């Protein structure tokens, strides 16, 4: 019985992943807010009532997409060396580059994560948790940089964190809004990531 249960769970998870992938394709074509459950159902060969067994509402599907995107984004940032076990400034810069690069390569997810294109949608605490954890890691790196004398104490304040995230999100938004097909490194705006971070560092460097 456990084997049958595991198989059902695997099939269900595979179907969910297929639905999420189809939703991303439709959002790329029709706009993030233009996605419809009936369109997603048709894309995966389902009737709409069958889709409700996996996602009871359009907002539930958006929430799953947000959760998937935020988790993948956080993983990409950590894979770049975002850790207090390394030099904090090196980690911050590497993480910022990875953050921008992932979002530019995943423009549909970027709109859902960085902008608010769907009226009335707010991610659930569970879907937002990877973003919260990543922000906590950012604060830990800033505190470590201050403790080591690499940055001024003001760098660990709420305002400094807001400015840090605004610089990064601003680069992403400008790139996607003005040159969506530009590369993560050679784009008109993404290539300015390092100078933008240098400006932030100059504000808080002793």
């Amino acid at each position: 019985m456990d084997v049958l249960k595991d198989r059902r769970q695997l099939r269900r998870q595979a179907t969910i992943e297929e639905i999420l992938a189809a939703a991303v394709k439709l959002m790329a074509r029709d706009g993030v807010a233009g996605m419809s459950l009936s369109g997603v159902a048709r894309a995966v060969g389902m009737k709409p009532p069958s889709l409700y067994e996996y996602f009871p509402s359009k907002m539930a599907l958006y929430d799953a997409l947000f959760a998937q995107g935020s988790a993948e984004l956080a993983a990409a940032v950590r894979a770049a060396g975002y850790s207090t076990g390394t030099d904090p400034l090196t980690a911050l810069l590497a993480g910022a580059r990875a953050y921008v690069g992932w979002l530019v390569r995943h423009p549909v997810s970027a709109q859902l994560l960085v902008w608010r294109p769907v009226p009335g949608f707010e991610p659930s605490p569970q879907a937002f948790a990877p973003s919260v954890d990543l922000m906590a890691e950012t604060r830990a790196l800033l505190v470590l940089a201050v403790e080591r004398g690499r940055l001024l104490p003001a760098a660990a304040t709420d305002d400094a964190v807001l400015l840090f995230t605004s610089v990064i999100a601003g680069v992403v938004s400008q790139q996607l809004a003005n040159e969506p097909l530009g590369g993560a490194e050679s784009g008109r705006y993404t290539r300015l990531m390092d100078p933008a971070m240098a400006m932030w560092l100059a504000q808080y460097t002793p």
Side-chain angles (χ1 to χ4, degrees), residues 60-143:
L61 180 51
Y62 279 125
D63 197 61
L65 289 164
F66 191 102
Q68 181 186 62
S70 61
E72 291 180 359
L73 173 59
V77 171
R78 293 188 183 106
Y82 212 63
S83 167
T84 54
T86 60
D87 174 68
L89 296 190
T90 300
L92 286 166
L93 291 172
R97 295 188 193 107
Y99 188 96
V100 170
W102 190 92
L103 288 172
V104 169
R105 290 191 297 272
H106 300 83
V108 172
S109 294
Q111 293 177 55
L112 197 59
L113 295 173
V114 179
W115 303 340
R116 287 293 182 266
V118 182
F121 170 69
E122 288 291 338
S124 66
Q126 182 180 3
F128 201 63
S131 298
V132 173
D133 292 343
L134 195 60
M135 182 57 66
E137 292 167 30
T138 299
R139 289 181 179 275
L141 284 168
L142 291 172
V143 169

Side-chain angles (χ1 to χ4, degrees), residues 1-11:
M1 293 298 293
D2 289 340
V3 173
L4 292 176
K5 183 178 179 181
D6 289 343
R7 287 177 178 174
R8 285 195 296 269
Q9 290 176 340
L10 288 173
R11 285 197 297 269

Side-chain angles (χ1 to χ4, degrees), residues 8 13 15 19 24 37-38 40 55-56 65 83 92 103 109 123 138-140 148 150 160 165 167 174 176 185:
R8 285 195 296 269
Q13 185 58 39
T15 301
I19 292 170
V24 170
L37 288 182
S38 59
V40 174
F55 298 101
L65 289 164
S83 167
L92 286 166
L103 288 172
S109 294
T138 299
R139 289 181 179 275
R148 293 182 178 179
R150 304 292 302 280
T165 57
V167 169
Q174 286 288 78
L176 293 180
E185 297 180 357

Side-chain angles (χ1 to χ4, degrees), residues 45-61:
M46 284 184 180
K47 293 182 179 180
S50 298
L51 186 65
Y52 296 146
E53 296 179 10
Y54 299 91
F55 298 101
S57 68
K58 187 176 179 179
M59 292 304 175
L61 180 51

